[in-house]
Amino acid sequence: MPTNNSNSEQTAKQEMLEVRVWRGQGQGQLKPYQVPLRKNQTVLDVITEIQRLQAPDLSYRFSCRVGVCGSCAMTVNGKPRWTCRTHVSKVADEGVLTIEPLRNLPKIKDLVCDLAPFIDTWQKAGAVFKPTGTRYDAPAKVDPDSACRRAADASLQCINCAVCYSACDVVNWNKDYVGPAALNRAWTLLNDVRHDERAATLDKVFEDGGCGSCHSHGNCTRHCPIELSPSASIAGLKRTLFTGLPGK
Amino acid sequence: MKERHLFLLQRLSAIFLAPLVVLHLVVIMIAVRNGLSAEEILNRTQGNYFWGGFYVLFVVSVSIHAPIGIRNVLREWTAIPKTQVNQICIFLAVIFLMSGLRAVAAVI
């Protein structure tokens, strides 16, 4: 039938994307797959297509698929990225995609890594909110135009994707370093007048492996998918040595 | 001494060192008239308390700044335990301070 012929011609002409996916538990290797190249295809679409049609045992993480949850971060062609908002057309290198788990975190299986060390750094950096009031108190009055609030707002939208942690070379070579995300969060808390333990947080960010270990490479800021600047937050933390706690 | 104090000391000593190093280099370049000789240097420095004070401040700043920097390098790049790294750097600070002050005393 003419329709069938036309379909088979289309299939024959279908441009294919060469995808190399890291497979294994602990030890592993890159395994090649071929996926039809489509318009407006994201890297997460590609991984999902491989998992649904070619490798049902492929493990990977995703949830919202729209850049909110931060769970689908992986290394794509050598750079950490949020795969759900990364278009293949922007990152494919001559029709080839290499997808690996995030760097600087223990690998569990395939594209899934253990985020526990990343989450632990938040505790270590004192980046844990302790409220000044209780649920029975009236909401605190915070001036949205105050310097503190503007500094906190600028760093607040972190989605905990661990892209900055993966991009950071200091995290890679210094296992004590808490990393950019935890320090960025600590900076927002230091600028939050509702945080009851600002002095304790400031003490913790300067402990061994804290903001003093940052070399200001800027990889965190360069790779942050929502364009925050952990580098600026860390610089703010360092400045507190001369200026003290941020004012209200 | 806490990490934050070391961090602060290294930045403060750097604030002093930056202009001191520039002036030191400028003097080297413009002061040498008849070849770099011990005699010419001593003629300029002996009895000159400005240069005495200048180089005392220089030596003290270096003795604070350099050992803290070396401590960071050793901690990041070697497996030497923290206590030993601290001991090495205190030793270096003492050596820098003593040899530097001795050199200043010798030319003033």
Side-chain angles (χ1 to χ4, degrees):
Chain A
M1 288 170 68
T3 319
N4 281 349
N5 283 344
S6 149
N7 277 348
S8 54
E9 272 173 30
Q10 273 182 354
T11 311
K13 284 177 189 167
Q14 174 71 60
E15 208 178 330
M16 301 299 279
L17 186 68
E18 214 169 287
V19 190
R20 301 188 299 163
V21 180
W22 198 91
R23 302 295 311 270
Q25 296 182 45
Q27 300 295 316
Q29 58 186 4
L30 291 169
K31 207 171 164 185
Y33 297 93
Q34 288 216 322
V35 174
L37 190 62
R38 298 193 169 87
K39 267 189 176 177
N40 297 325
Q41 190 178 25
T42 67
V43 175
L44 184 62
D45 292 336
V46 169
I47 298 164
T48 301
E49 186 160 345
I50 293 171
Q51 198 265 340
R52 298 283 159 86
L53 302 177
Q54 302 181 41
D57 61 337
L58 173 65
S59 301
Y60 67 110
R61 276 202 189 102
F62 73 96
S63 180
C64 74
R65 297 178 294 174
V66 289
V68 175
C69 73
S71 57
C72 68
M74 296 168 205
T75 305
V76 182
N77 281 3
K79 291 183 179 172
R81 295 180 181 278
W82 53 354
T83 55
C84 69
R85 297 289 295 272
T86 302
H87 281 256
V88 168
S89 58
K90 296 247 172 79
V91 293
D93 184 10
E94 295 180 352
V96 179
L97 271 186
T98 302
I99 307 171
E100 298 162 276
L102 285 177
R103 189 174 73 135
N104 297 340
L105 288 162
K107 294 180 178 79
I108 295 177
K109 178 177 178 284
D110 301 336
L111 300 171
V112 178
C113 47
D114 182 4
L115 287 168
F118 170 67
I119 304 298
D120 289 346
T121 61
W122 289 45
Q123 301 279 342
K124 193 178 168 194
V128 181
F129 181 65
K130 295 278 195 276
T132 48
T134 69
R135 66 177 65 188
Y136 305 107
D137 296 321
K141 286 181 182 167
V142 179
D143 177 5
D145 291 325
S146 64
C148 257
R149 195 60 229 169
R150 278 188 278 123
D153 284 345
S155 316
L156 204 57
Q157 301 298 326
C158 174
I159 56 172
N160 315 325
C161 61
V163 161
C164 60
Y165 192 81
S166 174
C168 179
D169 284 337
V170 182
V171 169
N172 187 253
W173 77 59
N174 180 356
K175 296 304 168 200
D176 291 332
Y177 181 46
V178 295
L183 292 171
N184 181 70
R185 175 63 180 149
W187 174 241
T188 65
L189 290 180
L190 285 185
N191 282 288
D192 190 340
V193 293
R194 301 165 306 155
H195 179 45
D196 199 29
E197 296 189 354
R198 296 201 306 152
T201 298
L202 189 59
D203 276 345
K204 280 200 169 177
V205 295
F206 276 101
E207 279 178 8
D208 227 1
C211 66
S213 300
C214 169
H215 285 244
S216 308
H217 289 162
N219 278 340
C220 49
T221 300
R222 174 179 283 239
H223 290 90
C224 177
I226 50 174
E227 298 180 348
L228 298 182
S229 178
S231 302
S233 300
I234 295 169
L237 291 172
K238 290 175 178 174
R239 271 198 306 276
T240 61
L241 271 181
F242 296 92
T243 60
L245 275 170
K248 293 189 177 181
Chain B
M1 193 175 281
K2 287 183 175 177
E3 292 295 323
R4 63 185 301 174
H5 298 137
L6 292 174
F7 189 88
L8 182 61
L9 274 176
Q10 203 188 20
R11 268 65 192 171
L12 285 174
S13 55
I15 289 170
F16 280 99
L17 273 174
L20 294 177
V21 168
V22 170
L23 189 57
H24 174 70
L25 292 174
V26 168
V27 169
I28 287 174
M29 284 186 279
I30 67 171
V32 176
R33 294 275 180 251
N34 305 308
L36 189 62
S37 67
E39 189 185 0
E40 188 184 300
I41 293 170
L42 288 173
N43 281 339
R44 187 169 61 248
T45 58
Q46 276 183 334
N48 189 325
Y49 290 104
F50 169 78
W51 288 119
F54 178 93
Y55 280 110
V56 166
L57 191 58
F58 197 112
V59 166
V60 171
S61 301
V62 167
S63 304
I64 294 170
H65 188 83
I68 299 173
I70 292 169
R71 177 179 180 269
N72 292 340
V73 173
L74 290 177
R75 293 211 49 208
E76 283 189 9
W77 289 97
T78 70
I80 304 172
K82 187 178 174 182
T83 315
Q84 283 179 31
V85 168
N86 288 340
Q87 288 167 348
I88 291 169
C89 292
I90 290 169
F91 175 73
L92 284 176
V94 172
I95 292 290
F96 291 160
L97 190 66
M98 287 176 61
S99 56
L101 291 179
R102 184 176 175 277
V104 174
V107 297
I108 299 301

